[in-house]
């Protein structure tokens, strides 16, 4: 698999506090990568390192195969766009003038792509309205537009829907999906709002206390979280035999438990088990959400 961003053994310390500890990550090309963790887990620290705003204490990271310590990393970062923490906007300027200023700072001689960029983020009709009078969602979309000024292949967004109202969240979601699907931009999104992230991500990385706990694709996560009936019995071998004969998809969880991934006729199962001297001790419907999966993975309340 082609990875746009990789890190291994990455550490970042502030005195005795370790913000990142032996951290690793693998962001596939073309992915919407959901970077999941509690506040303070190390998400923003890694993003700041990735953007060149901080240096790691140890370890290494790569962008498009180029090491973060390579002399050529600055050139590679021109293929990145990022909104870290809050958008950096000129509040007394219009959206168009914000972009013109950004273009000048980047050394881009022509403004001809600005109307297309404003249309892409849904700000084409804001006219001379100053950014300070924008809604929070509009400010976020303008920040993304400025991050897109150099037509990047990789977009890094740090908590892009934090504090937005429902309409603002929908607008940002649709924009991210459009950028990924129509522009083929790989997107790395850090967030702790898991329900919204589950509508976007193709891959996930779960970070806790500065370490990557698990990386998983959305397809793998869906399989892990799919609906099932968990059955606890006195004889797991007898139950497995019955489920196999009935051609029901199942997974043995322990010496006494199995998950059945299809609707179960409880009466029929009880009769079949009884014939084999197997007692059904309990049956529970289960459907694990992304939030519960994360909490079970790292422990504690999701924040």
């Amino acid at each position: 698999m082609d990875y746009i961003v990789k890190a291994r053994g990455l550490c970042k310390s502030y005195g005795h506090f370790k913000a990142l500890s032996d951290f690793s990550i693998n962001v596939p090309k073309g992915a919407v990568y959901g970077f999941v963790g509690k506040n303070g887990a190390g998400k923003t620290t890694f993003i700041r390192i990735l953007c060149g705003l901080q240096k790691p204490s140890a370890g290494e990271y790569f962008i498009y195969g180029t090491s973060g310590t390579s002399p050529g990393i600055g050139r590679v970062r021109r293929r990145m766009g990022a909104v870290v923490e809050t958008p950096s906007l000129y509040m007394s300027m219009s959206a168009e003038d914000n972009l013109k200023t950004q273009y000048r700072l980047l050394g881009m001689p022509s403004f001809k792509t600005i109307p297309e960029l404003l249309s892409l983020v849904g700000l084409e009709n804001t006219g001379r309205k100053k950014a300070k009078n924008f809604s929070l969602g509009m400010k976020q979309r303008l920040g993304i537009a400025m991050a897109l000024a150099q037509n990047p292949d990789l977009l890094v967004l740090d908590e892009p829907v934090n504090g937005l109202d429902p309409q603002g969240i929908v607008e940002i979601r649709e924009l991210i999906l459009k950028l990924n699907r129509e522009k083929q931009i790989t997107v790395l999104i850090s967030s702790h709002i898991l329900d919204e992230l589950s509508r976007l991500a193709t891959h996930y990385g779960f970070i806790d206390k500065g370490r990557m706990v698990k990386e998983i694709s959305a397809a793998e996560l869906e399989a892990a979280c799919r609906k099932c009936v968990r059955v606890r019995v006195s004889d797991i071998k007898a139950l497995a035999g019955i489920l196999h004969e009935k051609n029901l998809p199942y997974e043995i969880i322990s010496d006494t438990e199995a998950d059945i991934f299809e609707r179960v006729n409880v009466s029929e199962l009880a009769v079949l088990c009884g014939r084999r001297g197997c007692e059904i001790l309990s049956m529970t419907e289960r459907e694990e959400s992304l939030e519960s999966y994360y909490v079970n993975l790292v422990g504690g309340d999701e924040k």
Side-chain angles (χ1 to χ4, degrees):
M1 186 176 289
D2 189 7
Y3 295 107
I4 283 184
V5 175
K6 288 178 66 72
R8 57 190 182 211
L10 206 62
C11 299
K12 179 62 179 178
S13 299
Y14 301 97
H16 296 294
F17 174 70
K18 290 185 177 181
L20 293 176
S21 179
D22 195 26
F23 175 81
S24 64
I25 192 171
N26 300 278
V27 180
K29 182 179 180 180
V32 176
Y33 188 101
F35 192 28
V36 182
K38 302 174 185 177
N39 291 332
K43 302 188 303 295
T44 299
T45 297
F46 172 67
I47 286 174
R48 292 180 69 84
I49 289 172
L50 191 65
C51 294
L53 301 175
Q54 292 181 348
K55 293 183 179 180
S57 305
E60 55 186 345
Y61 66 98
F62 302 85
I63 307 171
Y64 293 101
T66 300
S67 170
T69 58
S70 168
I73 192 64
R75 183 174 63 255
V76 172
R77 281 201 178 97
R78 293 174 192 163
R79 299 175 66 183
M80 287 178 56
V83 181
V84 183
E85 296 177 301
T86 56
S88 298
L89 307 177
Y90 302 95
M91 292 298 176
S92 61
M93 293 184 183
S94 66
E96 182 179 352
D97 286 342
N98 263 276
L99 285 172
K100 285 181 177 179
T101 302
Q102 181 77 343
Y103 275 42
R104 292 189 187 102
L105 289 172
L106 295 171
M108 299 172 66
S110 172
F111 297 148
K112 66 180 182 180
T113 57
I114 287 179
E116 180 185 351
L117 191 50
L118 286 171
S119 178
L120 178 65
V121 300
L123 296 175
E124 68 274 25
N125 296 319
T126 53
R128 304 309 303 165
K129 186 175 182 178
K130 294 179 180 180
K132 66 182 178 182
N133 297 320
F134 284 6
S135 69
L136 194 57
M138 291 170 69
K139 290 175 182 175
Q140 192 67 262
R141 282 184 280 134
L142 178 55
I144 292 174
M146 294 177 74
L148 295 171
Q150 287 195 111
N151 195 26
D153 303 311
L154 170 64
L155 181 63
V156 180
L157 303 175
D158 187 16
E159 301 282 2
V161 300
N162 211 14
L164 299 187
D165 60 23
Q167 180 60 34
I169 290 173
V170 170
E171 290 169 353
I172 295 296
R173 180 206 309 158
E174 291 178 349
L175 174 57
I176 291 169
L177 289 173
K178 179 188 291 187
L179 294 172
N180 178 250
R181 294 170 181 174
E182 298 180 13
K183 303 292 184 179
Q184 284 77 54
I185 296 175
T186 301
V187 187
L188 170 64
I189 310 173
S190 83
S191 184
H192 64 279
I193 304 176
L194 304 188
D195 179 62
E196 180 58 29
L197 200 56
S198 67
R199 303 167 191 263
L200 290 167
T202 62
H203 295 76
Y204 297 90
F206 298 94
I207 183 175
D208 187 51
K209 299 176 183 176
R211 293 178 179 269
M212 182 64 77
V213 179
K214 189 176 185 66
E215 289 186 294
I216 189 171
S217 72
E220 291 169 331
L221 183 63
E222 183 178 352
C225 296
R226 61 180 172 163
K227 286 183 179 180
C228 68
V229 176
R230 178 157 294 183
V231 184
R232 189 162 66 91
V233 294
S234 60
D235 186 343
I236 197 68
K237 289 183 179 180
L239 177 64
I242 293 166
L243 297 176
H244 182 73
E245 290 172 6
K246 298 293 290 182
N247 199 29
L248 292 171
Y250 70 94
E251 180 180 353
I252 302 299
I253 302 300
S254 69
D255 292 341
T256 60
E257 292 180 313
D259 285 342
I260 306 172
F261 299 100
E262 200 167 289
R263 185 178 294 277
V264 178
N265 184 317
V266 178
S267 299
E268 181 184 7
L269 184 62
V271 170
L272 293 172
C273 284
R275 289 174 183 172
R276 300 197 184 194
C278 174
E279 182 183 358
I280 296 178
L281 304 175
S282 66
M283 295 183 70
T284 310
E285 287 191 354
R286 293 170 57 85
E287 181 181 13
E288 193 169 27
S289 66
L290 174 57
E291 181 174 348
S292 62
Y293 179 89
Y294 171 72
V295 171
N296 289 334
L297 192 65
V298 304
D301 295 328
E302 199 279 313
K303 298 292 185 184

